[in-house]
Amino acid sequence: MLMVVDGTAERLAPSDPRSARTKVLSVYAMMPGTLQLSRALTDRRLSDALLEEGIHNALTAFGIAESR
């Protein structure tokens, strides 16, 4: 797993990947919780909205999307 984290950090901050490592780890830690909660919800629309928000939050944390 750390190979994936380090590879992602290198892409986010090519000149200083270690500076992005903690951010990448925190986003990866958030992802399973979002997925588990969305699967536990019985309301399909709410589940889908949660997944979309999780994707948006991850992209925002990585600086790929803008905050709303």
Side-chain angles (χ1 to χ4, degrees):
M1 167 156 158
L2 288 180
M3 288 178 55
V4 173
V5 169
D6 290 339
T8 304
E10 287 175 16
R11 286 171 181 78
L12 288 174
S15 61
D16 186 15
R18 293 198 72 51
S19 69
R21 193 175 200 221
T22 303
K23 182 181 292 188
V24 174
L25 282 168
S26 67
V27 169
Y28 279 149
M30 175 187 66
M31 292 166 68
T34 301
L35 183 59
Q36 284 184 322
L37 181 55
S38 73
R39 288 181 176 173
L41 295 170
T42 56
D43 182 330
R44 178 66 184 228
R45 288 184 188 177
L46 182 57
S47 174
D48 289 346
L50 176 62
L51 289 173
E52 287 295 323
E53 189 67 22
I55 291 167
H56 180 78
N57 290 341
L59 294 175
T60 301
F62 286 152
I64 298 170
E66 293 183 15
S67 298
R68 294 182 189 162

